[in-house]
Amino acid sequence: MADPMVQYWDVQEFTPEDRADAVRTVIANITGRVEIDFPVPGWRVEARGVTSDLGPLTVCTVRSNATLVRHNARYATDELEPSIFLGLQMSGSSTVTQADHETRVRPGDLVLYQSTLPYIVSDRNGIGQHFFRIPVSRLALPQALFSRISAVALSPGDPIAELTASHLRQLATAHARFDGPGVEALGQPSIDLLRAVITTHLDAVHLTKESLQSTLLLRILEYARAHLAEPGLNAAQIATAHHMSVRRLYKIMAEGGISLADWIRTHRLEECRNEFRRPTARLTTIEAVARRWGFTDMSNFGRIFRAAYGVSPREWRLLTAREQPDAVPDADAQIVHTPLQ
């Protein structure tokens, strides 16, 4: 059964004449009331998405042939808690307008706009965006700061902004699969990371120092995630990248209740498992996939994969292949990999 915090929707479930209103209703429940323009009359209205609540952070992915979303002044007093919306473009580009600012958003750019002021999000090719809703109170920043960053690309090219975009993209891609106890805890660290981007963008020195300290563990883990495929990834490399000693790195990890070696191994295994699930991955041997994600000892890889998931890599790939009737032949079929069986 799907987790109650995850909501999937697709207006194909409605009759053609009701779809435009259905989209407006769904989006209003997430962002507050909006007006939505679609292509010229006669075009079929298309929209689908998935929304998750991760504690204080709402994550939503939307694809639609809508060309414009408009939040008017008369909607600014909606009952929705005053919030910040953060947009992350999936592909192409869109334009976000609020107050006196207008910015073109391209993949990898972060753009912020406020729920309490009118705004417009437009894309003549159709809206395709991950966006995040954060209560203003959770950002713990002076209200006056937001007018300076609304509808402005947040520090494009800045390492912290790039790391945050990478983290949020990972979150948006996977959020519908999160379930179980502790899911709510994912929200606040992500909000803290956004806070670091905002204060860095504004060069608010005292706030930046506080934000960077509060997001240090998350930034360390995002660095490790980005370098998972490197066989030599270790504590010394991560510590050097963050200008600290290995001893301090381990102290920070321990305070977060995380073993670095266990974290790296777990996430490498997860990447392998996800890759084995793809039909096209069967063109590649199990050994090649394992090495691509930093494993160099194949017999050890087979043991820890089975310990983690209860089946061998080959068995896992065969199980998932049964769900994919058009899967390509198994590249390992003619190769004996005894340690992986």
Side-chain angles (χ1 to χ4, degrees):
M1 181 177 295
D3 191 283
M5 289 183 293
V6 180
Q7 296 181 340
Y8 293 88
W9 54 273
D10 190 332
V11 297
Q12 293 298 106
E13 300 172 0
F14 296 86
T15 60
E17 58 270 23
D18 291 333
R19 287 173 187 166
D21 286 341
V23 177
R24 295 184 183 100
T25 299
V26 169
I27 298 301
N29 289 333
I30 303 168
T31 67
R33 287 183 294 169
V34 292
E35 296 177 359
I36 303 178
D37 293 349
F38 293 92
V40 293
W43 284 41
R44 187 170 71 174
V45 171
E46 298 176 357
R48 66 185 187 277
V50 56
T51 304
S52 297
D53 289 321
L54 307 179
L57 179 69
T58 298
V59 186
C60 186
T61 298
V62 176
R63 290 188 182 276
S64 174
N65 63 346
T67 56
L68 184 144
V69 177
R70 182 189 297 106
H71 181 67
N72 290 326
R74 64 178 179 274
Y75 300 148
T77 57
D78 278 355
E79 294 181 0
L80 179 71
E81 180 180 4
S83 301
I84 293 298
F85 300 128
L86 182 72
L88 179 59
Q89 191 77 5
M90 287 190 276
S91 61
S93 63
S94 63
T95 300
V96 177
T97 306
Q98 187 165 71
D100 297 326
H101 300 149
E102 179 177 286
T103 190
R104 194 77 171 164
V105 185
R106 295 175 175 81
D109 287 347
L110 299 173
V111 63
L112 177 152
Y113 43 107
Q114 304 177 63
S115 70
T116 53
L117 295 175
Y119 63 79
I120 296 174
V121 179
S122 61
D123 188 334
R124 64 182 181 181
N125 295 315
I127 303 295
Q129 197 174 82
H130 301 302
F131 73 88
F132 307 82
R133 187 183 76 202
I134 307 110
V136 171
S137 59
R138 287 288 186 154
L139 280 164
L141 291 171
Q143 180 65 40
L145 293 183
F146 295 121
S147 63
R148 296 166 53 190
I149 55 174
S150 294
V152 172
L154 292 176
S155 298
D158 178 79
I160 296 176
E162 290 181 351
L163 183 148
T164 302
S166 175
H167 168 74
L168 293 176
R169 189 180 300 109
Q170 291 266 355
L171 197 64
T173 301
H175 68 98
R177 300 199 302 268
F178 296 153
D179 57 21
V183 169
E184 300 85 353
L186 293 170
Q188 190 59 48
S190 302
I191 294 172
D192 290 340
L193 196 54
L194 174 60
R195 186 172 185 267
V197 175
I198 293 171
T199 56
T200 299
H201 180 89
L202 294 173
D203 197 24
V205 177
H206 66 293
L207 292 173
T208 300
K209 289 181 179 178
E210 180 184 335
S211 295
L212 291 177
Q213 183 58 40
S214 67
T215 61
L216 183 54
L217 177 58
L218 187 55
R219 288 186 285 118
I220 287 170
L221 295 180
E222 282 303 306
Y223 176 90
R225 189 191 303 278
H227 294 267
L228 277 177
E230 299 175 11
L233 178 66
N234 57 28
Q237 176 183 335
I238 297 171
T240 298
H242 291 84
H243 310 289
M244 65 177 66
S245 67
V246 171
R247 181 177 180 181
R248 185 178 176 223
L249 172 68
Y250 280 128
K251 182 175 184 294
I252 292 168
M253 301 293 287
E255 289 173 350
I258 297 171
S259 161
L260 180 60
D262 289 347
W263 191 96
I264 291 174
R265 181 172 57 253
T266 296
H267 285 77
R268 281 176 170 166
L269 284 172
E270 185 67 19
E271 293 293 347
C272 290
R273 185 174 71 154
N274 290 339
E275 191 160 340
F276 291 147
R277 184 183 285 122
R278 300 174 191 141
T280 54
R282 303 186 78 234
L283 291 168
T284 307
T285 64
I286 289 171
E287 180 175 340
V289 173
R291 291 191 183 281
R292 180 154 53 242
W293 288 106
F295 291 102
T296 57
D297 184 334
M298 292 302 102
S299 59
N300 185 54
F301 172 70
R303 283 195 297 271
I304 64 175
F305 191 98
R306 182 182 289 277
Y309 304 120
V311 293
S312 72
R314 174 77 64 79
E315 290 167 342
W316 170 254
R317 196 160 67 171
L318 289 173
L319 285 170
T320 56
R322 290 170 188 160
E323 303 170 1
Q324 301 158 350
D326 297 325
V328 298
D330 188 347
D332 285 292
Q334 304 301 320
I335 302 174
V336 177
H337 287 297
T338 304
L340 298 180
Q341 302 307 307

